[in-house]
Amino acid sequence: MTIGRHIHEATKRLTDAGCDSPRLDAELLLGHVLSLNRAQLLARSERLLSPDEARTYQALLDRRAQREPLAYIVGHKEFFGLELETTPHVLVPRPETELLVEQTLRLSREIAPAANVRIADIGTGSGAIAISLALSLPEAVVYAVDCSTAALVVAARNCQRHGVETRVRLLAGDLLAPLPEPVDIVVANLPYISPAEMPSLMPEVRLFEPQGALDGGDDGLELIRRLLQQVMRQPRRPQAVLLEIGAHQGEMVLQIASEILPEATVSLMRDYAGLERIITVRL
């Protein structure tokens, strides 16, 4: 059977399985098997697959039809123009989190124009945010903290892949506790899903992504609250804290931040889809 026919049948199968981008997924999986990009696949649509290639492709389709995330199947995901290793030990990097990187870069240049800013990425996971910041700010000191040692192993490999292993300092522990010195900016994409929201998540998230990276406690904001309380207790506080939040958590997080840090200026930013996405706390 030809490449084109395989893609056609795989698209129908993934559509029936409820995948939200079945044609794209079918193409990317076959491209992964054949080491071809999408344009090359289309150019070779009449090429026949060998029996081994067809078996490998069907095995990957079986996994995707069970709603396993594409990033876990192929083992990587693009974020901020970087290819990052992605395993079930870490969340799949999301496009909306790129806005968090953009805002952190903007603030860092305002706070420290020479780019020798100190930044802590709390809940680093795959290292996506920390690595993006380190590559954009060559003079910055970047700490990447996570309570999951398995996630830090993935982050370490991503740091090596992008040549920042000596500049991103990986630390295991609870929120700000492992930091060896005060920092200028804290950026965090912490778990913010409540138990009530879990059943409504897509199967890719609910069934496959690490629960510890999703579960934000009773109201979804437990870790955000604790982080801000730790900031409040710092002898030398950061000049800014940037937080990714859920699409309907803006009012609650604005209130929490204002109560814990009443002297701070707190603002809400929406993402490119118009959803509430980032809280910025200026101190």
Side-chain angles (χ1 to χ4, degrees):
M1 195 157 59
T2 64
I3 283 176
R5 188 63 188 171
H6 272 287
I7 290 174
H8 175 78
E9 294 195 359
T11 299
K12 183 178 185 306
R13 182 179 179 192
L14 296 182
T15 300
D16 293 343
C19 297
D20 59 0
S21 54
R23 171 82 184 195
L24 176 61
D25 291 356
E27 291 176 353
L28 291 175
L29 286 173
L30 187 51
H32 178 70
V33 172
L34 302 178
S35 298
L36 299 174
N37 62 37
R38 293 176 69 202
Q40 291 169 330
L41 281 179
L42 293 175
R44 295 165 171 79
S45 62
E46 296 304 314
R47 191 202 126 174
L48 295 173
L49 266 64
S50 71
D52 283 347
E53 289 170 340
R55 278 192 295 271
T56 301
Y57 185 43
Q58 290 305 313
L60 298 188
L61 286 173
D62 288 345
R63 293 170 64 184
R64 187 66 189 106
Q66 293 298 315
R67 306 295 293 274
E68 182 176 350
L70 185 74
Y72 292 161
I73 298 172
V74 302
H76 59 84
K77 175 75 173 179
E78 184 176 313
F79 178 86
F80 214 69
L82 307 172
E83 188 177 280
L84 298 171
E85 178 184 338
T86 309
T87 80
H89 294 300
V90 299
L91 284 183
V92 176
R94 268 74 164 170
E96 55 267 29
T97 303
E98 295 182 0
L99 183 61
L100 191 60
V101 174
E102 292 170 4
Q103 287 304 108
T104 305
L105 290 173
R106 184 185 66 79
L107 269 182
S108 69
R109 290 169 179 139
E110 178 183 324
I111 288 169
N116 57 346
V117 65
R118 289 166 299 176
I119 303 173
D121 170 27
I122 308 300
T124 195
S126 65
I129 293 172
I131 294 167
S132 300
L133 293 172
L135 289 170
S136 298
L137 300 167
E139 303 302 318
V141 174
V142 181
Y143 295 105
V145 181
D146 207 292
C147 63
S148 166
T149 55
L152 289 173
V153 170
V154 178
R157 290 198 291 264
N158 280 324
C159 286
Q160 291 170 352
R161 175 184 293 218
H162 294 287
V164 295
E165 66 270 22
T166 62
R167 296 182 38 240
V168 175
R169 305 178 191 181
L170 300 172
L171 302 169
D174 178 58
L175 302 176
L176 302 182
L179 295 178
E181 63 173 337
V183 296
D184 301 301
I185 297 175
V186 171
V187 55
N189 180 14
L190 296 170
Y192 53 71
I193 306 297
S194 69
E197 295 173 292
M198 287 287 183
S200 65
L201 297 178
M202 293 177 65
E204 286 86 346
V205 179
R206 187 179 73 251
L207 300 177
F208 292 95
E209 296 202 62
Q211 293 299 296
L214 296 169
D215 185 358
D218 289 345
D219 63 355
L221 301 174
E222 179 183 320
L223 285 162
I224 288 175
R225 194 177 285 109
R226 285 209 300 113
L227 176 65
L228 292 173
Q229 289 167 344
Q230 288 189 12
V231 168
M232 182 265 295
R233 293 193 293 267
Q234 294 290 301
R236 183 181 152 203
R237 297 176 183 172
Q239 295 186 51
V241 180
L242 294 97
L243 305 165
E244 181 169 327
I245 62 169
H248 306 292
Q249 294 176 331
E251 281 288 322
M252 293 173 65
V253 181
L254 286 170
Q255 182 177 344
I256 289 167
S258 297
E259 289 174 355
I260 294 174
L261 297 160
E263 74 282 14
T265 301
V266 187
S267 59
L268 169 66
M269 173 177 282
R270 295 178 181 271
D271 62 22
Y272 298 121
L275 302 174
E276 297 173 356
R277 188 59 61 194
I278 296 174
I279 295 289
T280 302
V281 182
R282 295 295 304 268
L283 293 155

